[in-house]
Amino acid sequence: MSRQQITQHYARLLTRWPVDRIRPENTFHKLLRSRLQSAPSGSKDEIKEVNAAYLLLDDAIAKRYPIPENIMKPQSRPDHYIALEKALEEAPDRTWFDNFKTRIKGMVRMR
């Protein structure tokens, strides 16, 4: 693959890659931008990196190796991963007071 093609692939990945709302200062976009700015060499390693990024972007690994239901819903707490996903979605929009309340709730578990 030529340098120009690899640069085009990095640019395409940059536009398609989702934004990380939890750690906006430490994103994959920064890595992709730095790869665009430095001249790609066209080496086999870069081709492997681009292919791996496309596999991650398209969820090809998750489709090929699905996680069994008994792992995603453990008997001890079947809603664990659903609650974790909900907490991760809410985290970027929380205020400092909401974070404080969540921390206190974690310390004092009343049922």
Side-chain angles (χ1 to χ4, degrees):
M1 212 181 286
S2 70
R3 290 180 179 190
Q4 184 180 9
Q5 287 176 322
I6 290 177
T7 303
Q8 289 172 347
H9 283 295
Y10 279 133
R12 183 169 181 244
L13 284 167
L14 186 61
T15 59
R16 291 186 58 205
W17 202 268
V19 176
D20 188 356
R21 292 183 56 212
I22 294 178
R23 296 174 303 229
E25 71 282 349
N26 224 6
T27 65
F28 194 63
H29 285 159
K30 285 185 181 179
L31 174 71
L32 290 174
R33 279 191 202 103
S34 70
R35 295 296 170 100
L36 273 172
Q37 290 170 355
S38 65
S41 63
S43 68
K44 288 188 177 188
D45 289 338
E46 280 190 330
I47 295 169
K48 287 180 182 180
E49 287 176 5
V50 167
N51 287 336
Y54 276 122
L55 288 174
L56 287 173
L57 187 63
D58 296 334
D59 259 351
I61 306 301
K63 290 174 187 170
R64 186 170 179 186
Y65 303 103
I67 299 173
E69 191 70 22
N70 62 346
I71 291 177
M72 290 304 293
K73 295 190 178 196
Q75 289 181 352
S76 61
R77 188 171 170 210
D79 66 333
H80 173 72
Y81 290 107
I82 295 168
L84 179 64
E85 184 178 8
K86 182 182 173 193
L88 288 173
E89 287 174 0
E90 293 173 354
D93 299 325
R94 279 194 208 133
T95 63
W96 69 270
F97 186 70
D98 291 334
N99 285 335
F100 179 72
K101 284 191 319 187
T102 305
R103 185 177 297 157
I104 297 299
K105 283 182 190 178
M107 287 187 218
V108 182
R109 297 193 185 257
M110 302 177 105
R111 292 186 180 203

